[in-house]
Amino acid sequence: MNRKVFPVANSRQSARAQTSRARDTELGPREQLLAATSQLMTERATADVSFSDIAERSGLNSALIKYYFGNKSGLLMALVRSAIGESMAQIQTLLGMDVPAKEKLRLHIAGIINVYYRHPYLNRLIHHFMNEGGETYGPAVAEEIIKPLTQAQQVILREGVANGEFREVDPVLFYMNVVGACDHLFLGQYTLKYGFGVKKIDDEFRQRYAEHVYDLALNGIQA
Amino acid sequence: MNRKVFPVANSRQSARAQTSRARDTELGPREQLLAATSQLMTERATADVSFSDIAERSGLNSALIKYYFGNKSGLLMALVRSAIGESMAQIQTLLGMDVPAKEKLRLHIAGIINVYYRHPYLNRLIHHFMNEGGETYGPAVAEEIIKPLTQAQQVILREGVANGEFREVDPVLFYMNVVGACDHLFLGQYTLKYGFGVKKIDDEFRQRYAEHVYDLALNGIQA
């Protein structure tokens, strides 16, 4: 997790807790709870896990969840920040790279698909916070994830137009199309399973899909 | 609703009910309950509406929901079938049309976006049945919606390759990409709102998006 990018409530207590309470592991209790939640959600392919399951898996008292995160929403939002923090920080590095805009677009698309692949519960949590469960953290998700992503893609598109690589394209339509394609690989896994008999997204499939989405996007905007 | 395509449980009782109970409207109670649910979900932009709200809006006793649909899942699945029935029947017409494959692809994409646009709760319900709420109706959604859609797109792609319009493309990756783009316009409305300040998808936006998704898809597979 990149705390510079995502300052987290209670991060001081958490840092102290890591130092004083860590026992047979290098992770503090706060990070142990996050890791247990992440493992359970990945294994069960659902974002619906209980406090008692998290307590059992982490070997910690479930009261600590309230202590560190306030409530379930707080825990889920901390998980989103933990999963996405590093990738969001890399966006600025990507934008500053001395490569053609189309290479930035390729890395941008692969980056979105990779972060979803590594954290299979991530886009369900983001959808949760931007829809039904959005009262508390919806604005934070918008500010910390949606806005930086949309702005980054617009920078890449403008750069590509300026240096003659891309033709002009509506950035709103293009974003919804490309990010929707990335999203659907994970949110629409039932289609893979029932429509095409693909039971599991493995690393090779992930890479082929990222190249496919990039190819289609590039063909569509290449000057 | 096309009952030939989607035989619905209790449809005989429902047909009798329509004849005997219809009062100040041409709709029978079963259809009144569906219409009330559809209205409420559209107005509130959520699939989370209560039996008592549906009863109030329809002017009918909420016990009738159990009578006609068994439970909430039964009601939601009937709503999915009602929303999508006509469009699914049109797919066969589309496939049989004497037009180039790329025109079929254009109509196919516009058709998916249109049915989501007319029934804004539809893709949330489909996601619900294919994920968390899939115990009862997941297989039905797969059989009645996912399979016909994936098969139809494959027919169009093969036709386009056979007559020299399209190059060979992986039908699984292509489907996930294109349908993900269609899906995201509605499932990712928070991105439109928070990332781009687009508050509402109107008819003009819907049409521009359908053309954009088609253009990108066609550019990507054109021979």
Side-chain angles (χ1 to χ4, degrees), chain A residues 58-72:
Chain A
S58 65
L60 297 170
N61 191 304
S62 68
L64 284 174
I65 299 175
K66 289 210 171 171
Y67 175 73
Y68 285 111
F69 305 104
N71 54 26
K72 181 105 173 225

Side-chain angles (χ1 to χ4, degrees), chain B residues 14-201:
Chain B
S14 170
R16 277 203 301 273
Q18 279 183 54
T19 317
S20 61
R21 297 191 203 183
R23 291 169 302 208
D24 56 344
T25 165
E26 289 186 13
L27 295 177
R30 186 180 182 284
E31 281 63 32
Q32 286 183 52
L33 291 169
L34 287 175
T37 312
S38 166
Q39 283 169 17
L40 288 168
M41 286 182 178
T42 303
E43 287 168 16
R44 299 183 186 171
T46 171
D48 194 20
V49 301
S50 70
F51 277 20
S52 61
D53 287 344
I54 297 167
E56 195 190 327
R57 173 63 60 101
S58 65
L60 297 169
N61 191 305
S62 68
L64 284 174
I65 299 176
K66 290 209 170 173
Y67 175 73
Y68 285 111
F69 306 104
N71 54 26
K72 181 105 173 224
S73 282
L75 170 69
L76 298 183
M77 186 63 203
L79 198 60
V80 167
R81 285 171 165 143
S82 164
I84 214 160
E86 199 182 335
S87 304
M88 297 305 290
Q90 284 169 350
I91 287 178
Q92 295 311 315
T93 313
L94 169 66
L95 293 180
M97 283 167 70
D98 186 23
V99 295
K102 67 178 188 178
E103 178 61 11
K104 290 184 185 178
L105 181 65
R106 193 181 71 75
L107 293 169
H108 171 65
I109 291 170
I112 296 171
I113 291 177
N114 288 353
V115 74
Y116 283 153
Y117 179 75
R118 282 201 300 271
H119 310 282
Y121 46 84
L122 186 59
N123 55 6
R124 280 200 208 170
L125 290 183
I126 293 175
H127 280 281
H128 166 75
F129 280 124
M130 299 311 288
N131 291 298
E132 282 76 8
E135 311 78 22
T136 324
Y137 292 105
V141 171
E143 209 56 47
E144 297 171 20
I145 301 174
I146 308 296
K147 282 191 188 171
L149 266 181
T150 54
Q151 285 163 2
Q153 198 182 83
Q154 288 184 72
V155 169
I156 297 172
L157 290 180
R158 276 198 300 270
E159 201 174 293
V161 170
N163 67 22
E165 288 177 73
F166 301 156
R167 60 184 175 81
E168 289 276 1
V169 64
D170 184 316
V172 185
L173 305 182
F174 185 76
Y175 183 94
M176 296 303 283
N177 189 329
V178 168
V179 173
C182 298
D183 215 43
H184 200 60
L185 182 63
F186 301 94
L187 218 54
Q189 287 188 48
Y190 55 82
T191 299
L192 283 177
K193 189 172 163 192
Y194 292 106
F196 297 107
V198 177
K199 297 263 180 351
K200 197 178 173 339
I201 301 166

Side-chain angles (χ1 to χ4, degrees), chain A residues 20-38:
Chain A
S20 62
R21 296 190 204 184
R23 289 168 302 205
D24 56 344
T25 166
E26 287 185 16
L27 295 177
R30 185 179 182 283
E31 281 65 30
Q32 287 182 52
L33 292 169
L34 287 175
T37 312
S38 166

